[in-house]
C-alpha cells in the first residue's frame, strides 16, 4: 500500500486470519489462466469448504436446500439453535468473491453467515450462485432472483421454522454480493412477489465501478486484499463481451443505467463502506444515488477498514458492523 494511504486495520488481523487470506490469495493468483479462465481444480485446493451441521455449532445449525441441481443452485439455511420469539426475520445473503470466486459453503462465507445468524437472531439463506467467467452476466442475477421466487412459493418453505416471517425479508450481501443484492432487489420490485416482502437491503462494501478512475482508486491502487488491477480483471470476466465498466451492472447510476428506481417501492438500504477500500468512492456514489432517487438510505462508515474487514471477527469494526446490522433490522421490523 502506498505511503499516502490512510492507516488500515489490516495489521490488527490475527495471524491465522492473515494466513487464511494469504492462502486464498495464492489460490486466486495461481488459478488464473492467461486466457482469462479459472482453473477450478487449483482454486478448490485453497478454498476450503464447510459441511452442513444438524448439531449446533456456536449456536447455529445448518442444512442445504436444492433449488436447481442442473446449475448447482442451492442455499444453506442457517438457524439459531437458541430459543427465539415467534417473529424471526429472514435474510437472503449473497457472498462476495468478485462474481468469480468462493461459494456459499466456503469456510469464510459460512463463518460470516453463522456470525450474522447468531448476532441478529435472523434466519439466513446463503445463495450459491453460478460463477464467472464460465457464467457471465446476468447468470448470477438470474440465480439470485430464482431463489427469491423459490421461497416465495409456500410449498418450498415447509422445512423452514414456523416462526420465520417472510413479510420481514432482507436482501444482503458483501462485495460482489452487495452488487447482487441491489440488482436482485430491483428485479424483485419490478416482478412483485406474493408472499415475500422485502423491507430492507444491506449492502456491505458493495462491488460497483466505472470507466472513470476515482480518487479512492488512485490513492488505494494496491490496497490490502483488493487491488484496482484485480477489480478490472473481475469486471472483464463478469460483464458481457464488448462491454466496458460503464455497463449498468457495474455503474448503477451511470450514463448507461436503465434502472430507474424512483418508480419502484425500493426498500430501506444500509450501505457499509471502509476508508481503506479502493471501491470507497463508488460505494459513496451508490448511497448518494439512492438518496437522489428519494429512497431511504443509511451510510455506515469505518474510516480505517479495508475491503472485507467483516471477515475478521476479532476486529473492532467487525463487531460494530454486526451491531449496526442488528439495529437496522430491529428498526424496520418494529
Amino acid at each position: 500500500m502506498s505511503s499516502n494511504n490512510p492507516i488500515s486495520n489490516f495489521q490488527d488481523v490475527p495471524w491465522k486470519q492473515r494466513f487464511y487470506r494469504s492462502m486464498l490469495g495464492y489460490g486466486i493468483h495461481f488459478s488464473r489462466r492467461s486466457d482469462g479462465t479459472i482453473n477450478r481444480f487449483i482454486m478448490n485446493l485453497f478454498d476450503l469448504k464447510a459441511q452442513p451441521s444438524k448439531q449446533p455449532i456456536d449456536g447455529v445449525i445448518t442444512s442445504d436446500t436444492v433449488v436447481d441441481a442442473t446449475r448447482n443452485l442451492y442455499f444453506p439455511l442457517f438457524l439459531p439453535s437458541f430459543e427465539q420469539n415467534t417473529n424471526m426475520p429472514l435474510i437472503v445473503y449473497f457472498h462476495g468473491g468478485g462474481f468469480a470466486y468462493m461459494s456459499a459453503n466456503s469456510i469464510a462465507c459460512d463463518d460470516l453467515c453463522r456470525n450474522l445468524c447468531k448476532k441478529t437472531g435472523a434466519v439466513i439463506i446463503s445463495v450459491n450462485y453460478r460463477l464467472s467467467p464460465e457464467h457471465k452476466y446476468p447468470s448470477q442475477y438470474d440465480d439470485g432472483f430464482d431463489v427469491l421466487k423459490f421461497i416465495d412459493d409456500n410449498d418450498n418453505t415447509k422445512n423452514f421454522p414456523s416462526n420465520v416471517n417472510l413479510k420481514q425479508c432482507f436482501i444482503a450481501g458483501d462485495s460482489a454480493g452487495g452488487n447482487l443484492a441491489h440488482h436482485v432487489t430491483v428485479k424483485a420490485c419490478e416482478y412483485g412477489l406474493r408472499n415475500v416482502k422485502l423491507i430492507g437491503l444491506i449492502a456491505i462494501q458493495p462491488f460497483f465501478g466505472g470507466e472513470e478512475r476515482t480518487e479512492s482508486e488512485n490513492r488505494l491502487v494496491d490496497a490490502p486484499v483488493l487491488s484496482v488491477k484485480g477489480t478490472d480483471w473481475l469486471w472483464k470476466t463478469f460483464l458481457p463481451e464488448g462491454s466496458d465498466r460503464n455497463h449498468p451492472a457495474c455503474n448503477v447510476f451511470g450514463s448507461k443505467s436503465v434502472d430507474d428506481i424512483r418508480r419502484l417501492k425500493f426498500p430501506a438500504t444500509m450501505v457499509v463502506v471502509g476508508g481503506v477500500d479502493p471501491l470507497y468512492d463508488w460505494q459513496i456514489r451508490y448511497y448518494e444515488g439512492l438518496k437522489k432517487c428519494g429512497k431511504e438510505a443509511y451510510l455506515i462508515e469505518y474510516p480505517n477498514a479495508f475491503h472485507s474487514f467483516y471477515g475478521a471477527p476479532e476486529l473492532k469494526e467487525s463487531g460494530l458492523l454486526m451491531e449496526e446490522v442488528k439495529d437496522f433490522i430491529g428498526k424496520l421490523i418494529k
Side-chain angles (χ1 to χ4, degrees), residues 44-267:
N44 286 335
L45 295 177
F46 294 88
D47 184 12
L48 303 179
K49 302 294 196 281
Q51 298 298 319
S53 174
K54 293 183 179 180
Q55 297 300 317
I57 297 178
D58 198 23
V60 177
I61 59 176
T62 60
S63 61
D64 288 347
T65 298
V66 176
V67 177
D68 184 351
T70 64
R71 48 181 157 151
N72 198 30
L73 181 59
Y74 72 91
F75 58 81
L77 181 70
F78 296 79
L79 301 173
S81 61
F82 45 90
E83 185 176 349
Q84 289 290 305
N85 59 34
T86 58
N87 197 32
M88 296 174 67
L90 175 69
I91 299 176
V92 178
Y93 199 90
F94 297 101
H95 67 81
F99 306 106
Y101 294 101
M102 312 295 280
S103 61
N105 66 341
S106 293
I107 290 290
C109 304
D110 186 85
D111 286 349
L112 178 60
C113 285
R114 284 181 182 275
N115 194 23
L116 190 61
C117 178
K118 182 180 178 182
K119 294 297 173 62
T120 65
V123 172
I124 313 290
I125 282 174
S126 181
V127 180
N128 191 71
Y129 52 85
R130 288 171 289 178
L131 300 176
S132 61
E134 297 92 333
H135 304 281
K136 287 180 171 285
Y137 165 93
S139 299
Q140 293 78 2
Y141 299 165
D142 292 341
D143 288 351
F145 184 49
D146 285 348
V147 167
L148 269 187
K149 290 191 292 184
F150 179 86
I151 62 175
D152 194 49
D153 185 340
N154 282 333
D155 289 339
N156 295 323
T157 58
K158 293 176 181 177
N159 294 328
F160 284 26
S162 59
N163 52 351
V164 173
N165 189 344
L166 297 183
K167 301 297 184 184
Q168 296 180 346
C169 182
F170 293 78
I171 305 295
D174 67 280
S175 195
N179 176 299
L180 270 164
H182 169 81
H183 287 288
V184 170
T185 299
V186 170
K187 289 171 70 73
C189 290
E190 292 174 333
Y191 177 81
L193 300 168
R194 295 171 299 159
N195 300 305
V196 171
K197 181 179 180 182
L198 305 182
I199 65 171
L201 192 162
I202 303 165
I204 304 172
Q205 293 184 294
F207 187 28
F208 296 119
E211 282 297 300
E212 172 195 350
R213 284 294 184 229
T214 66
E215 189 277 336
S216 63
E217 286 176 314
N218 289 326
R219 178 169 47 91
L220 298 162
V221 63
D222 293 316
V225 180
L226 187 68
S227 69
V228 173
K229 183 178 179 180
T231 63
D232 287 352
W233 189 90
L234 291 168
W235 285 123
K236 187 175 181 179
T237 64
F238 171 68
L239 295 173
E241 294 295 336
S243 299
D244 63 21
R245 293 189 303 274
N246 284 330
H247 188 283
C250 177
N251 194 346
V252 175
F253 295 113
S255 59
K256 296 182 181 179
S257 177
V258 294
D259 293 332
D260 182 9
I261 67 170
R262 288 181 177 86
R263 59 185 171 81
L264 300 177
K265 192 176 181 181
F266 203 78

Side-chain angles (χ1 to χ4, degrees), residues 270-274 287 298-302 320-321 324-325:
M270 170 181 169
V271 183
V272 179
V273 304
Y287 164 76
Y298 304 90
L299 182 67
I300 308 299
E301 184 170 1
Y302 301 106
L320 292 173
L321 172 61
E324 291 282 4
V325 172

